[in-house]
Amino acid sequence: VVPIATIRDLARRSGVSIATVSRALNGYADVNEETRQRIIALARELDYSPSEAARTLVRQRSQMIGVVWDLSYHRPDLQHPFLQEVLIGLKQGLGAQGYDLLLLSTFGPRGKSYVKRSKQHRVDGVVIMGVDEHTDEIQELVQSDVPTVAIDLDIAGPRSTYVTSDNVQGAKSAVHHLHALGHRAIATITGPHEMRPGAERLVGYREALAELGLEVDPRYVVEGDFYHDTGQAAMHRLLDSEDRPTAVFAASDMMAMGAIRAAAEAGCRVPEDVAIVGFDDIVAASLVQPRLTTVRQDKDGFGAAAANALIRVIEDPDTEPQVVTLPTELVIRESCGAANGGSGPRTKEVGRT
Amino acid sequence: VVPIATIRDLARRSGVSIATVSRALNGYADVNEETRQRIIALARELDYSPSEAARTLVRQRSQMIGVVWDLSYHRPDLQHPFLQEVLIGLKQGLGAQGYDLLLLSTFGPRGKSYVKRSKQHRVDGVVIMGVDEHTDEIQELVQSDVPTVAIDLDIAGPRSTYVTSDNVQGAKSAVHHLHALGHRAIATITGPHEMRPGAERLVGYREALAELGLEVDPRYVVEGDFYHDTGQAAMHRLLDSEDRPTAVFAASDMMAMGAIRAAAEAGCRVPEDVAIVGFDDIVAASLVQPRLTTVRQDKDGFGAAAANALIRVIEDPDTEPQVVTLPTELVIRESCGAANGGSGPRTKEVGRT
DNA sequence: CTGAAAGCGCTTACAG
DNA sequence: CTGAAAGCGCTTACAG
């Protein structure tokens, strides 16, 4: 067990005061260069590094960013793969600036609130993700003076902002792509209308249709909940109707996969009989058969953007928090039919009926 | 901006010394009950909670557990979904004991080592996952006096242990299941032999065959790297050979999915022409078609077990670190053919040749 | 049952 | 360029 060297040890062994050691190590200008070098060498030799606790105590800030992530809230399949990717970008972006991430446990020791625990730890800021934003706890946090950035949650406060994907544009690109492949009967399986991404992707669908001079057929709009099963059920409804759509835009990859399963059950081939486009580009999207054409969210970008946005709020208390919107990208694979000639719905006649 | 109440504020307003406040709040026995109640009430009123930094400084421990997780090391598709689930269990298990998790950024501000940063933060222990365990950095950490628990990594030191799945048993259960379905020509696509899970699952395959009185045909053992592409390539090799196997045990779900794709490309139906069983039970396993029969790892169990193991080492410095092995579970879905009657390889004659 | 005091390991005006 | 001192907010022997 190696005892930890303190600043006092350094001072003693280098023959200066602890104040000088502190200044030398922290890069203050007014330190004799030779003295500084001697101290730095000694620090390396003793493997010294300052106690974060002591530093936090005197500086009143910890160089830690709290992370509020209620892992139990969301069903694991959808949110997690996505948020995890975000965590990577976050860790990198924040780590580069010298911040460590503190995962605030969901249920504090004595049921303490997030605000309380944020202050208790003197975290410099907090990232919020994977939670129900309508909760009192979260609202309290957002309305507090703790700098905050949320991932894909519609949250704003005096020192709070969020980053989100350009859902409208993303949905539009999917519909336009389908249209370019010759489809006119384009349906959509939406997310919950009360969730921002759900609502926005529907708006994009509508706007695209309008731009293309197509009517929105109410029977072609079926609501799901972003998960596999509702995608499957919705697709069955779509396929059971009189006028089957030739193409479907699903507002999530999970629902798109459910739709593919439903198509198979109904004896419909994808993409020959019906084309399908998803949203998110989760890992599984490129593993299923047919591989899913989808609107990719910029997962790394989320983390980096959130890191930057948060740092901005932290460092400049007077800055107006700015919402960040990230571009999406249409990833063309097999489920839309573009890969095999883009013949679109015309192949329908060739297929089995 | 609400100023944070300190212990001094409490002392002043309750008319006692800060020592008494501290004792009252920390549940010491020798405090007048009435005084204690008064102080507790006041603490609630002022929304007081002690500064973690001050506490850490004097107690020399932070009630934080460090997490070493090099998110950039592994290809994101395999490790992440799994490790993320683990993180859930970890956060819950540790959170219940009053610990918060500190994600140690991979590249510290000045390239500081994990040991150094662990001590700097006075973390009580460290969880290691998703890293290359042969690294000097990791070895240094494991050999240090910092209590450590690793997830699915073969690591041990004076105060270090790890938790892993029972890979041998898991692999055996897969092979036995295939045998019970009538298969005799059972191949395997392995993980890298130098990685512990890869080696152990191969051992299980071999042992099962021996128990069943079957020979190990070297041509039936193809090495992969746990990822999709090598599974696909391996399956093509298997399918190109003279004696096609009628069943394949893949040592990961990703490889199993690659194998399914290869089978489709070769005009082979799964499970009619060839049965496939994977390992892991990642989220995608139940989404692909056919849905994957696989050996499930107990992801929640990992987190909980790791939390317990770590706490044990932390609280009792003299305890011998104990390796924890978690049971696996065979999840029967569609890719093995058991669902549709378990007719096994006999359906082969019915299929296309 | 309670208070005064020392101390955890730093940083930062304030003097010189 | 450097040192002595105060102070960050707690906990914990030590007296009484």
mmCIF file of all heavy atoms in Angstrom, chain A residues 1 47 50 52 69 80 84 88 91 100-101 103 105-106 116 120-121 145 261 288 291, chain B residues 1 47 50 52 69 80 84 88 91 100-101 103 105-106 116 120-121 145 261 288 291:
data_model
loop_
_atom_site.group_PDB
_atom_site.id
_atom_site.type_symbol
_atom_site.label_atom_id
_atom_site.label_comp_id
_atom_site.label_asym_id
_atom_site.label_seq_id
_atom_site.Cartn_x
_atom_site.Cartn_y
_atom_site.Cartn_z
ATOM 1 N N VAL A 1 0.843 -1.204 0.000
ATOM 2 C CA VAL A 1 0.000 0.000 0.000
ATOM 3 C C VAL A 1 0.878 1.254 0.000
ATOM 4 O O VAL A 1 1.534 1.573 0.985
ATOM 5 C CB VAL A 1 -0.921 0.040 1.244
ATOM 6 C CG1 VAL A 1 -1.800 1.253 1.211
ATOM 7 C CG2 VAL A 1 -1.732 -1.239 1.304
ATOM 8 N N ASP A 47 4.771 10.570 -7.904
ATOM 9 C CA ASP A 47 3.474 10.228 -8.496
ATOM 10 C C ASP A 47 2.358 11.024 -7.810
ATOM 11 O O ASP A 47 1.298 10.494 -7.478
ATOM 12 C CB ASP A 47 3.215 8.726 -8.369
ATOM 13 C CG ASP A 47 2.127 8.276 -9.315
ATOM 14 O OD1 ASP A 47 2.042 8.820 -10.422
ATOM 15 O OD2 ASP A 47 1.331 7.404 -8.929
ATOM 16 N N PRO A 50 -3.144 16.075 -7.149
ATOM 17 C CA PRO A 50 -3.907 16.740 -6.093
ATOM 18 C C PRO A 50 -5.202 16.013 -5.755
ATOM 19 O O PRO A 50 -5.826 15.401 -6.610
ATOM 20 C CB PRO A 50 -4.199 18.120 -6.678
ATOM 21 C CG PRO A 50 -4.037 17.970 -8.139
ATOM 22 C CD PRO A 50 -3.014 16.894 -8.341
ATOM 23 N N GLU A 52 -8.891 15.576 -5.375
ATOM 24 C CA GLU A 52 -10.042 16.240 -5.985
ATOM 25 C C GLU A 52 -10.957 16.823 -4.918
ATOM 26 O O GLU A 52 -11.570 17.874 -5.110
ATOM 27 C CB GLU A 52 -10.834 15.261 -6.846
ATOM 28 C CG GLU A 52 -10.122 14.814 -8.105
ATOM 29 C CD GLU A 52 -9.941 15.952 -9.094
ATOM 30 O OE1 GLU A 52 -10.586 17.009 -8.942
ATOM 31 O OE2 GLU A 52 -9.128 15.795 -10.013
ATOM 32 N N TRP A 69 -29.925 9.601 -15.574
ATOM 33 C CA TRP A 69 -30.342 8.632 -16.575
ATOM 34 C C TRP A 69 -31.075 7.533 -15.846
ATOM 35 O O TRP A 69 -30.450 6.674 -15.242
ATOM 36 C CB TRP A 69 -29.113 8.089 -17.293
ATOM 37 C CG TRP A 69 -29.425 7.145 -18.397
ATOM 38 C CD1 TRP A 69 -30.637 6.807 -18.894
ATOM 39 C CD2 TRP A 69 -28.470 6.405 -19.180
ATOM 40 N NE1 TRP A 69 -30.510 5.921 -19.918
ATOM 41 C CE2 TRP A 69 -29.198 5.655 -20.121
ATOM 42 C CE3 TRP A 69 -27.086 6.313 -19.176
ATOM 43 C CZ2 TRP A 69 -28.575 4.823 -21.042
ATOM 44 C CZ3 TRP A 69 -26.476 5.481 -20.091
ATOM 45 C CH2 TRP A 69 -27.214 4.750 -21.019
ATOM 46 N N HIS A 80 -31.996 2.404 -24.988
ATOM 47 C CA HIS A 80 -30.638 2.136 -24.565
ATOM 48 C C HIS A 80 -29.589 2.126 -25.641
ATOM 49 O O HIS A 80 -28.588 2.808 -25.529
ATOM 50 C CB HIS A 80 -30.611 0.860 -23.749
ATOM 51 C CG HIS A 80 -31.252 1.060 -22.415
ATOM 52 N ND1 HIS A 80 -31.449 0.063 -21.521
ATOM 53 C CD2 HIS A 80 -31.741 2.175 -21.841
ATOM 54 C CE1 HIS A 80 -32.043 0.546 -20.447
ATOM 55 N NE2 HIS A 80 -32.234 1.830 -20.625
ATOM 56 N N GLN A 84 -26.790 4.938 -25.311
ATOM 57 C CA GLN A 84 -25.447 4.491 -25.021
ATOM 58 C C GLN A 84 -24.434 5.084 -25.985
ATOM 59 O O GLN A 84 -23.334 5.486 -25.600
ATOM 60 C CB GLN A 84 -25.414 2.992 -25.140
ATOM 61 C CG GLN A 84 -24.029 2.486 -25.070
ATOM 62 C CD GLN A 84 -24.059 1.091 -24.587
ATOM 63 O OE1 GLN A 84 -24.913 0.730 -23.798
ATOM 64 N NE2 GLN A 84 -23.143 0.300 -25.043
ATOM 65 N N ILE A 88 -21.078 7.701 -25.292
ATOM 66 C CA ILE A 88 -19.712 7.670 -25.815
ATOM 67 C C ILE A 88 -19.260 9.075 -26.206
ATOM 68 O O ILE A 88 -18.207 9.548 -25.777
ATOM 69 C CB ILE A 88 -19.625 6.763 -27.059
ATOM 70 C CG1 ILE A 88 -19.997 5.330 -26.687
ATOM 71 C CG2 ILE A 88 -18.228 6.819 -27.653
ATOM 72 C CD1 ILE A 88 -19.960 4.381 -27.857
ATOM 73 N N LYS A 91 -18.834 11.308 -23.185
ATOM 74 C CA LYS A 91 -17.660 11.003 -22.394
ATOM 75 C C LYS A 91 -16.423 11.563 -23.092
ATOM 76 O O LYS A 91 -15.523 12.096 -22.448
ATOM 77 C CB LYS A 91 -17.550 9.487 -22.236
ATOM 78 C CG LYS A 91 -16.574 9.068 -21.177
ATOM 79 C CD LYS A 91 -16.691 7.592 -20.875
ATOM 80 C CE LYS A 91 -15.431 7.083 -20.223
ATOM 81 N NZ LYS A 91 -14.729 6.066 -21.006
ATOM 82 N N ASP A 100 -15.064 14.640 -15.599
ATOM 83 C CA ASP A 100 -15.463 13.254 -15.429
ATOM 84 C C ASP A 100 -16.982 13.224 -15.291
ATOM 85 O O ASP A 100 -17.600 14.211 -14.917
ATOM 86 C CB ASP A 100 -14.799 12.647 -14.187
ATOM 87 C CG ASP A 100 -13.337 12.330 -14.413
ATOM 88 O OD1 ASP A 100 -13.037 11.581 -15.352
ATOM 89 O OD2 ASP A 100 -12.494 12.833 -13.654
ATOM 90 N N LEU A 101 -17.552 12.070 -15.603
ATOM 91 C CA LEU A 101 -19.001 11.944 -15.534
ATOM 92 C C LEU A 101 -19.419 11.226 -14.257
ATOM 93 O O LEU A 101 -18.910 10.159 -13.948
ATOM 94 C CB LEU A 101 -19.524 11.148 -16.734
ATOM 95 C CG LEU A 101 -19.374 11.813 -18.101
ATOM 96 C CD1 LEU A 101 -19.942 10.909 -19.190
ATOM 97 C CD2 LEU A 101 -20.104 13.145 -18.104
ATOM 98 N N LEU A 103 -22.480 9.407 -12.599
ATOM 99 C CA LEU A 103 -23.813 8.850 -12.805
ATOM 100 C C LEU A 103 -24.598 8.968 -11.514
ATOM 101 O O LEU A 103 -24.368 8.187 -10.582
ATOM 102 C CB LEU A 103 -23.673 7.374 -13.195
ATOM 103 C CG LEU A 103 -24.065 6.969 -14.601
ATOM 104 C CD1 LEU A 103 -23.444 7.899 -15.620
ATOM 105 C CD2 LEU A 103 -23.687 5.537 -14.874
ATOM 106 N N SER A 105 -27.152 8.129 -9.049
ATOM 107 C CA SER A 105 -28.036 6.984 -8.903
ATOM 108 C C SER A 105 -29.472 7.467 -8.791
ATOM 109 O O SER A 105 -29.759 8.529 -8.248
ATOM 110 C CB SER A 105 -27.651 6.152 -7.684
ATOM 111 O OG SER A 105 -27.803 6.922 -6.524
ATOM 112 N N THR A 106 -30.363 6.672 -9.349
ATOM 113 C CA THR A 106 -31.743 7.094 -9.481
ATOM 114 C C THR A 106 -32.398 7.346 -8.133
ATOM 115 O O THR A 106 -33.114 8.317 -7.951
ATOM 116 C CB THR A 106 -32.540 6.035 -10.247
ATOM 117 O OG1 THR A 106 -31.848 5.788 -11.467
ATOM 118 C CG2 THR A 106 -33.933 6.527 -10.531
ATOM 119 N N LYS A 116 -30.505 18.528 -5.244
ATOM 120 C CA LYS A 116 -29.781 18.446 -3.997
ATOM 121 C C LYS A 116 -28.471 17.709 -4.194
ATOM 122 O O LYS A 116 -27.406 18.160 -3.769
ATOM 123 C CB LYS A 116 -30.652 17.689 -2.998
ATOM 124 C CG LYS A 116 -30.285 17.947 -1.562
ATOM 125 C CD LYS A 116 -31.466 17.579 -0.709
ATOM 126 C CE LYS A 116 -31.232 17.851 0.762
ATOM 127 N NZ LYS A 116 -32.456 17.602 1.534
ATOM 128 N N GLN A 120 -24.721 18.959 -3.744
ATOM 129 C CA GLN A 120 -23.934 18.231 -2.765
ATOM 130 C C GLN A 120 -22.576 17.837 -3.351
ATOM 131 O O GLN A 120 -21.557 17.908 -2.685
ATOM 132 C CB GLN A 120 -24.722 16.964 -2.441
ATOM 133 C CG GLN A 120 -24.492 16.374 -1.109
ATOM 134 C CD GLN A 120 -25.461 15.201 -0.902
ATOM 135 O OE1 GLN A 120 -26.459 15.052 -1.619
ATOM 136 N NE2 GLN A 120 -25.160 14.371 0.060
ATOM 137 N N HIS A 121 -22.609 17.431 -4.610
ATOM 138 C CA HIS A 121 -21.372 17.015 -5.279
ATOM 139 C C HIS A 121 -20.693 18.185 -5.987
ATOM 140 O O HIS A 121 -19.648 18.013 -6.585
ATOM 141 C CB HIS A 121 -21.667 15.933 -6.322
ATOM 142 C CG HIS A 121 -21.859 14.567 -5.736
ATOM 143 N ND1 HIS A 121 -20.826 13.829 -5.227
ATOM 144 C CD2 HIS A 121 -22.975 13.812 -5.581
ATOM 145 C CE1 HIS A 121 -21.298 12.661 -4.797
ATOM 146 N NE2 HIS A 121 -22.593 12.635 -4.986
ATOM 147 N N ASP A 145 -30.783 26.596 -10.863
ATOM 148 C CA ASP A 145 -29.656 27.306 -11.461
ATOM 149 C C ASP A 145 -28.519 26.372 -11.870
ATOM 150 O O ASP A 145 -27.434 26.820 -12.199
ATOM 151 C CB ASP A 145 -29.139 28.369 -10.481
ATOM 152 C CG ASP A 145 -28.793 27.745 -9.132
ATOM 153 O OD1 ASP A 145 -29.424 26.750 -8.768
ATOM 154 O OD2 ASP A 145 -27.883 28.250 -8.466
ATOM 155 N N ARG A 261 -41.957 -8.129 -40.098
ATOM 156 C CA ARG A 261 -42.482 -9.414 -39.637
ATOM 157 C C ARG A 261 -43.941 -9.580 -40.048
ATOM 158 O O ARG A 261 -44.344 -10.629 -40.550
ATOM 159 C CB ARG A 261 -42.352 -9.528 -38.119
ATOM 160 C CG ARG A 261 -42.879 -10.853 -37.558
ATOM 161 C CD ARG A 261 -42.572 -11.000 -36.069
ATOM 162 N NE ARG A 261 -41.153 -10.918 -35.819
ATOM 163 C CZ ARG A 261 -40.334 -11.971 -35.841
ATOM 164 N NH1 ARG A 261 -40.816 -13.174 -36.095
ATOM 165 N NH2 ARG A 261 -39.056 -11.825 -35.599
ATOM 166 N N VAL A 288 -30.823 -7.238 -39.814
ATOM 167 C CA VAL A 288 -32.028 -7.966 -40.190
ATOM 168 C C VAL A 288 -32.073 -8.179 -41.696
ATOM 169 O O VAL A 288 -31.314 -7.595 -42.447
ATOM 170 C CB VAL A 288 -33.299 -7.205 -39.758
ATOM 171 C CG1 VAL A 288 -33.388 -7.162 -38.247
ATOM 172 C CG2 VAL A 288 -33.312 -5.808 -40.354
ATOM 173 N N ARG A 291 -32.028 -5.920 -45.037
ATOM 174 C CA ARG A 291 -31.396 -4.867 -44.254
ATOM 175 C C ARG A 291 -32.193 -3.582 -44.414
ATOM 176 O O ARG A 291 -32.651 -3.242 -45.509
ATOM 177 C CB ARG A 291 -29.950 -4.699 -44.697
ATOM 178 C CG ARG A 291 -29.151 -6.001 -44.468
ATOM 179 C CD ARG A 291 -27.673 -5.820 -44.730
ATOM 180 N NE ARG A 291 -27.427 -5.219 -46.013
ATOM 181 C CZ ARG A 291 -26.491 -4.305 -46.227
ATOM 182 N NH1 ARG A 291 -25.707 -3.922 -45.232
ATOM 183 N NH2 ARG A 291 -26.334 -3.778 -47.428
ATOM 184 N N VAL B 1 -30.910 32.265 -7.327
ATOM 185 C CA VAL B 1 -29.805 31.409 -6.863
ATOM 186 C C VAL B 1 -29.864 31.254 -5.350
ATOM 187 O O VAL B 1 -29.578 32.184 -4.606
ATOM 188 C CB VAL B 1 -28.433 32.014 -7.247
ATOM 189 C CG1 VAL B 1 -27.321 31.089 -6.791
ATOM 190 C CG2 VAL B 1 -28.372 32.254 -8.736
ATOM 191 N N ASP B 47 -33.186 22.664 3.556
ATOM 192 C CA ASP B 47 -32.793 21.790 2.464
ATOM 193 C C ASP B 47 -31.289 21.518 2.513
ATOM 194 O O ASP B 47 -30.585 21.538 1.502
ATOM 195 C CB ASP B 47 -33.154 22.422 1.116
ATOM 196 C CG ASP B 47 -33.165 21.384 0.009
ATOM 197 O OD1 ASP B 47 -33.541 20.238 0.280
ATOM 198 O OD2 ASP B 47 -32.769 21.721 -1.120
ATOM 199 N N PRO B 50 -24.960 17.579 3.396
ATOM 200 C CA PRO B 50 -23.529 17.823 3.583
ATOM 201 C C PRO B 50 -22.751 17.840 2.271
ATOM 202 O O PRO B 50 -23.089 17.136 1.331
ATOM 203 C CB PRO B 50 -23.085 16.653 4.454
ATOM 204 C CG PRO B 50 -24.122 15.610 4.279
ATOM 205 C CD PRO B 50 -25.403 16.334 4.003
ATOM 206 N N GLU B 52 -20.194 16.763 -0.203
ATOM 207 C CA GLU B 52 -19.476 15.504 -0.414
ATOM 208 C C GLU B 52 -17.975 15.719 -0.374
ATOM 209 O O GLU B 52 -17.219 14.868 0.084
ATOM 210 C CB GLU B 52 -19.857 14.889 -1.768
ATOM 211 C CG GLU B 52 -21.271 14.373 -1.836
ATOM 212 C CD GLU B 52 -21.484 13.183 -0.928
ATOM 213 O OE1 GLU B 52 -20.500 12.584 -0.463
ATOM 214 O OE2 GLU B 52 -22.651 12.851 -0.661
ATOM 215 N N TRP B 69 -14.209 2.114 -18.470
ATOM 216 C CA TRP B 69 -14.925 1.553 -19.612
ATOM 217 C C TRP B 69 -14.460 2.299 -20.847
ATOM 218 O O TRP B 69 -14.895 3.410 -21.094
ATOM 219 C CB TRP B 69 -16.425 1.735 -19.398
ATOM 220 C CG TRP B 69 -17.262 1.117 -20.455
ATOM 221 C CD1 TRP B 69 -16.845 0.365 -21.512
ATOM 222 C CD2 TRP B 69 -18.684 1.195 -20.579
ATOM 223 N NE1 TRP B 69 -17.905 -0.042 -22.257
ATOM 224 C CE2 TRP B 69 -19.045 0.449 -21.720
ATOM 225 C CE3 TRP B 69 -19.675 1.808 -19.834
ATOM 226 C CZ2 TRP B 69 -20.367 0.320 -22.126
ATOM 227 C CZ3 TRP B 69 -20.978 1.677 -20.250
ATOM 228 C CH2 TRP B 69 -21.323 0.938 -21.376
ATOM 229 N N HIS B 80 -21.336 -3.246 -26.519
ATOM 230 C CA HIS B 80 -22.141 -2.224 -25.892
ATOM 231 C C HIS B 80 -23.504 -2.653 -25.405
ATOM 232 O O HIS B 80 -23.842 -2.410 -24.265
ATOM 233 C CB HIS B 80 -22.239 -1.013 -26.806
ATOM 234 C CG HIS B 80 -20.923 -0.307 -26.899
ATOM 235 N ND1 HIS B 80 -20.692 0.742 -27.722
ATOM 236 C CD2 HIS B 80 -19.767 -0.527 -26.251
ATOM 237 C CE1 HIS B 80 -19.447 1.145 -27.572
ATOM 238 N NE2 HIS B 80 -18.864 0.381 -26.692
ATOM 239 N N GLN B 84 -24.059 -2.401 -21.470
ATOM 240 C CA GLN B 84 -25.001 -1.406 -21.011
ATOM 241 C C GLN B 84 -26.020 -2.005 -20.054
ATOM 242 O O GLN B 84 -26.383 -1.403 -19.046
ATOM 243 C CB GLN B 84 -25.731 -0.853 -22.215
ATOM 244 C CG GLN B 84 -26.875 -0.007 -21.803
ATOM 245 C CD GLN B 84 -27.178 0.941 -22.891
ATOM 246 O OE1 GLN B 84 -26.279 1.377 -23.589
ATOM 247 N NE2 GLN B 84 -28.415 1.262 -23.067
ATOM 248 N N ILE B 88 -26.823 -1.146 -15.899
ATOM 249 C CA ILE B 88 -28.084 -0.973 -15.187
ATOM 250 C C ILE B 88 -28.037 -1.678 -13.837
ATOM 251 O O ILE B 88 -28.311 -1.093 -12.797
ATOM 252 C CB ILE B 88 -29.257 -1.557 -16.003
ATOM 253 C CG1 ILE B 88 -29.375 -0.827 -17.340
ATOM 254 C CG2 ILE B 88 -30.550 -1.454 -15.216
ATOM 255 C CD1 ILE B 88 -30.499 -1.345 -18.210
ATOM 256 N N LYS B 91 -25.612 -0.007 -11.458
ATOM 257 C CA LYS B 91 -26.085 1.246 -10.917
ATOM 258 C C LYS B 91 -27.118 0.992 -9.831
ATOM 259 O O LYS B 91 -27.130 1.662 -8.794
ATOM 260 C CB LYS B 91 -26.703 2.068 -12.056
ATOM 261 C CG LYS B 91 -26.900 3.513 -11.716
ATOM 262 C CD LYS B 91 -27.316 4.310 -12.940
ATOM 263 C CE LYS B 91 -28.024 5.572 -12.507
ATOM 264 N NZ LYS B 91 -29.390 5.664 -12.996
ATOM 265 N N ASP B 100 -22.365 6.291 -5.714
ATOM 266 C CA ASP B 100 -22.570 6.844 -7.040
ATOM 267 C C ASP B 100 -21.459 6.331 -7.943
ATOM 268 O O ASP B 100 -20.382 5.959 -7.481
ATOM 269 C CB ASP B 100 -22.545 8.376 -6.992
ATOM 270 C CG ASP B 100 -23.824 8.950 -6.425
ATOM 271 O OD1 ASP B 100 -24.897 8.644 -6.972
ATOM 272 O OD2 ASP B 100 -23.758 9.703 -5.439
ATOM 273 N N LEU B 101 -21.737 6.326 -9.234
ATOM 274 C CA LEU B 101 -20.747 5.817 -10.182
ATOM 275 C C LEU B 101 -20.019 6.965 -10.867
ATOM 276 O O LEU B 101 -20.638 7.886 -11.388
ATOM 277 C CB LEU B 101 -21.435 4.969 -11.254
ATOM 278 C CG LEU B 101 -22.047 3.649 -10.803
ATOM 279 C CD1 LEU B 101 -22.664 2.928 -11.991
ATOM 280 C CD2 LEU B 101 -20.980 2.782 -10.166
ATOM 281 N N LEU B 103 -17.718 7.748 -13.945
ATOM 282 C CA LEU B 103 -17.154 7.256 -15.193
ATOM 283 C C LEU B 103 -15.808 7.922 -15.426
ATOM 284 O O LEU B 103 -15.750 9.092 -15.803
ATOM 285 C CB LEU B 103 -18.093 7.624 -16.347
ATOM 286 C CG LEU B 103 -18.814 6.493 -17.050
ATOM 287 C CD1 LEU B 103 -19.453 5.547 -16.061
ATOM 288 C CD2 LEU B 103 -19.844 7.037 -18.013
ATOM 289 N N SER B 105 -12.940 9.161 -17.323
ATOM 290 C CA SER B 105 -12.723 9.401 -18.748
ATOM 291 C C SER B 105 -11.455 8.677 -19.178
ATOM 292 O O SER B 105 -10.499 8.526 -18.425
ATOM 293 C CB SER B 105 -12.620 10.889 -19.032
ATOM 294 O OG SER B 105 -11.508 11.423 -18.365
ATOM 295 N N THR B 106 -11.511 8.183 -20.404
ATOM 296 C CA THR B 106 -10.445 7.318 -20.899
ATOM 297 C C THR B 106 -9.103 8.014 -20.930
ATOM 298 O O THR B 106 -8.082 7.464 -20.536
ATOM 299 C CB THR B 106 -10.802 6.813 -22.302
ATOM 300 O OG1 THR B 106 -12.094 6.231 -22.229
ATOM 301 C CG2 THR B 106 -9.790 5.777 -22.762
ATOM 302 N N LYS B 116 -3.985 6.414 -10.548
ATOM 303 C CA LYS B 116 -3.790 7.759 -10.059
ATOM 304 C C LYS B 116 -5.124 8.474 -9.900
ATOM 305 O O LYS B 116 -5.398 9.078 -8.862
ATOM 306 C CB LYS B 116 -2.923 8.507 -11.067
ATOM 307 C CG LYS B 116 -2.230 9.702 -10.503
ATOM 308 C CD LYS B 116 -1.074 10.046 -11.409
ATOM 309 C CE LYS B 116 -0.291 11.244 -10.923
ATOM 310 N NZ LYS B 116 0.919 11.420 -11.757
ATOM 311 N N GLN B 120 -6.905 9.904 -6.644
ATOM 312 C CA GLN B 120 -7.191 11.332 -6.671
ATOM 313 C C GLN B 120 -8.640 11.602 -6.242
ATOM 314 O O GLN B 120 -8.923 12.538 -5.518
ATOM 315 C CB GLN B 120 -6.996 11.784 -8.114
ATOM 316 C CG GLN B 120 -6.621 13.193 -8.324
ATOM 317 C CD GLN B 120 -6.340 13.419 -9.805
ATOM 318 O OE1 GLN B 120 -6.163 12.491 -10.589
ATOM 319 N NE2 GLN B 120 -6.321 14.681 -10.201
ATOM 320 N N HIS B 121 -9.531 10.738 -6.723
ATOM 321 C CA HIS B 121 -10.950 10.900 -6.399
ATOM 322 C C HIS B 121 -11.338 10.138 -5.138
ATOM 323 O O HIS B 121 -12.480 10.171 -4.734
ATOM 324 C CB HIS B 121 -11.819 10.400 -7.559
ATOM 325 C CG HIS B 121 -11.922 11.359 -8.697
ATOM 326 N ND1 HIS B 121 -12.649 12.520 -8.626
ATOM 327 C CD2 HIS B 121 -11.398 11.339 -9.933
ATOM 328 C CE1 HIS B 121 -12.565 13.166 -9.775
ATOM 329 N NE2 HIS B 121 -11.805 12.468 -10.594
ATOM 330 N N ASP B 145 -3.680 -1.607 -4.836
ATOM 331 C CA ASP B 145 -4.499 -1.910 -3.671
ATOM 332 C C ASP B 145 -5.921 -1.369 -3.807
ATOM 333 O O ASP B 145 -6.678 -1.366 -2.842
ATOM 334 C CB ASP B 145 -3.829 -1.344 -2.412
ATOM 335 C CG ASP B 145 -3.549 0.148 -2.554
ATOM 336 O OD1 ASP B 145 -3.297 0.586 -3.698
ATOM 337 O OD2 ASP B 145 -3.579 0.862 -1.552
ATOM 338 N N ARG B 261 -27.568 -15.155 -42.566
ATOM 339 C CA ARG B 261 -27.475 -14.462 -43.849
ATOM 340 C C ARG B 261 -26.776 -15.348 -44.882
ATOM 341 O O ARG B 261 -27.230 -15.479 -46.019
ATOM 342 C CB ARG B 261 -26.727 -13.129 -43.703
ATOM 343 C CG ARG B 261 -26.607 -12.344 -45.003
ATOM 344 C CD ARG B 261 -25.995 -10.971 -44.777
ATOM 345 N NE ARG B 261 -26.787 -10.182 -43.848
ATOM 346 C CZ ARG B 261 -27.805 -9.415 -44.201
ATOM 347 N NH1 ARG B 261 -28.127 -9.311 -45.487
ATOM 348 N NH2 ARG B 261 -28.477 -8.746 -43.311
ATOM 349 N N VAL B 288 -34.780 -10.639 -35.324
ATOM 350 C CA VAL B 288 -34.463 -11.140 -36.662
ATOM 351 C C VAL B 288 -35.399 -12.270 -37.043
ATOM 352 O O VAL B 288 -36.130 -12.806 -36.213
ATOM 353 C CB VAL B 288 -33.001 -11.655 -36.727
ATOM 354 C CG1 VAL B 288 -32.037 -10.502 -36.568
ATOM 355 C CG2 VAL B 288 -32.756 -12.728 -35.688
ATOM 356 N N ARG B 291 -36.436 -15.895 -35.579
ATOM 357 C CA ARG B 291 -35.979 -15.453 -34.269
ATOM 358 C C ARG B 291 -34.988 -16.464 -33.715
ATOM 359 O O ARG B 291 -35.176 -17.673 -33.855
ATOM 360 C CB ARG B 291 -37.190 -15.281 -33.349
ATOM 361 C CG ARG B 291 -38.155 -14.210 -33.907
ATOM 362 C CD ARG B 291 -39.254 -13.871 -32.928
ATOM 363 N NE ARG B 291 -39.919 -15.064 -32.447
ATOM 364 C CZ ARG B 291 -40.293 -15.240 -31.181
ATOM 365 N NH1 ARG B 291 -40.110 -14.279 -30.312
ATOM 366 N NH2 ARG B 291 -40.868 -16.360 -30.802
#
